[in-house]
Amino acid sequence: MAITMTVHGAARTVTGSCYLIETDRCKFLVDCGMFQGAKTLKELNYESFPFAPGEIDFVLLTHAHIDHSGLIPKLAKHGFSGLVYATRGTIDLLGSMLPDAGHIQEVEVEELNRRNARRGRPAVTPIYTAADAEECLHLMKPVAYDGWFEPAEDVRARYWNAGHILGSASIEIEIDAGAAAPRRLRLLFSGDIGPDAQTFHAAPESPENLDYLICETTYGGRTRERLTHDDRLRILAKEVTDAFKDRGALIIPAFAVERTQELLADLVELVNSGAAPRIPIFLDSPLAIRATQAFIDHADELENGDAFRKAMATPFLRTTETPAESMQIERMEGNHIVIAASGMCDAGRIRHHLKNHLWRQNSTVLLVGYQAQGTLGQILADGAKAVRIQGEEIRVRARIRQTDIYSGHADGPALVEWVRQRSPVKRAILLTHGEDAGLEAMHKALSDLGLDGERIIEPTLDDIFDLMTELPGPRLRPGPRRLRAEEVGRFDWHNDFSKLWLDISEELDRAADDRAKNALIRRLRHALEERERR
């Protein structure tokens, strides 16, 4: 039997997890995520799938984060009618997350089309709508951890706790290799692996003795200091205290699922212990509000779940569902905390709060999660003096702080240990879902363990692997590619253009007088005219 795997997402420096597995009898996906990061990468979300959605028999979903699940409504919209297998926790979260993603696309495309109309550009259609997302939810099929099920005649799968977010899983897959090879091909997709110590989840689990291991490397090159819960509270307390000097506000872009709930629990604990003042804490994200309710509903399944349920009933924690309630926050003066999605600052209400606070010297923006290359969050973390939000230039005078104490990902040493415990891996380890530094550090660390370096592979976008080759590892097959290697997962021309625009504005501001400004503009125009003459 021929068995191939195509890496359609989460390849080297690329978000948007998606793997296509093809056998002689079926085709299925592991994850179907939305691309995030630079505009060149995000534009892939609007393009046709590199496969026919109607030919996909089923989807195995690791967890609810949008970079793993966010294109499922588009898949269904364009012909997929099979089942999406996921844990009950994942399905409960998706009931809010996918319609919210559709709503955000509708709102942002509406704003974009208003700008496009003024510029004489054609209108854009959303990738999918909230209604499309609601419609695809009936395809969800709940599965339990630790039990085998058969989504197709020659395929069986088992979900293992990944410790990343509510409902997250690593997926073990066995495929009947046919009479010529009377055994099952065994694969394990890590999904996103959680850290050793978390508020809500036990340590990750999964099997060993595999043919192929597909492992994320988000924090492959990082070693995180081992912190106790008290250490984390102490660090957060200092950030809050520093932010509240000079009657400042603290703005926290947070991922709506897991990171927000951990943050809220810790903030309430700090206030109740007297380590932080009793000030208003606004949860300004309809998605995060609904996700928090899902955590409350699943509290009996979570470690410290009862304490979390009680913390969420505290009177100084305020939720804002409607846009009108959200806009009321902007009128507040003095100390307060706003937690809003998205965590990378690329969509949602956080962008409005950033427009309102980045220019204020007494405001603080605290980044608490992973920031992909090309996102507004990464640009702020890199120290930008000005940014463009929804076409408007905003000077950055606020304090930009960053911490990874709320990371939902295992660090490099923990990932290496996770792989070691799943050895032996007979044919190959594919390292995915990471940037160059993390991938290379993970590759070296695994080689240093004695694993065959040639069997450690770092796929690029749209790589096709023959999993049944007689070679020691899989054979790479040629196929069509949507992006050139130099375009993948890096700052693109959109980022460069925004930076150039801001640099020109800054130089004009520095110019001594109108004469100097005119001289700068003439030089820029001369450069453009020289290019036209060539």
Side-chain angles (χ1 to χ4, degrees), residues 10 101 120 152 228 439 447 449 463 530:
T228 66
L439 288 162
S447 296
L449 275 183
D463 274 354
E530 281 293 314

Side-chain angles (χ1 to χ4, degrees), residues 259-278:
R259 305 293 76 75
T260 290
Q261 288 73 39
E262 288 188 320
L263 256 172
L264 289 173
D266 283 359
L267 286 168
V268 170
E269 186 172 347
L270 287 178
V271 173
N272 288 339
S273 69
R278 186 175 289 263

Side-chain angles (χ1 to χ4, degrees), residues 434-450:
E435 295 175 358
D436 287 341
L439 288 162
E440 290 162 9
M442 188 79 176
H443 193 138
K444 182 179 184 304
L446 293 175
S447 296
D448 291 345
L449 275 183

Side-chain angles (χ1 to χ4, degrees), residues 27 53-59 72 75-76 79-85 136-141 151:
K27 296 180 182 180
E55 295 179 2
I56 302 300
D57 294 290
F58 59 90
V59 177
I72 291 174
L75 191 73
F80 171 71
S81 59
L83 294 175
V84 178
Y85 295 93
C136 85
L137 294 176
H138 76 277
L139 302 175
M140 304 292 168
K141 174 75 172 178

Side-chain angles (χ1 to χ4, degrees), residues 106-178:
E106 290 179 76
V107 170
E108 293 198 338
V109 164
E110 183 180 352
E111 293 174 353
L112 174 62
N113 284 338
R114 281 198 292 267
R115 295 197 298 272
N116 283 346
R118 291 193 293 268
R119 297 167 180 169
R121 297 177 182 174
V124 177
T125 302
I127 304 165
Y128 57 85
T129 65
D132 294 328
E134 292 279 1
E135 180 64 24
C136 85
L137 294 176
H138 76 277
L139 302 175
M140 304 292 168
K141 174 75 172 178
V143 296
Y145 287 117
D146 305 328
W148 288 106
F149 65 97
E150 295 189 4
E153 180 182 350
D154 59 342
V155 179
R156 69 174 188 160
R158 179 165 54 170
Y159 281 45
W160 296 81
N161 164 49
H164 177 58
I165 66 169
L166 176 67
S168 63
S170 299
I171 303 179
E172 178 185 7
I173 302 171
E174 291 189 351
I175 303 174
D176 186 349

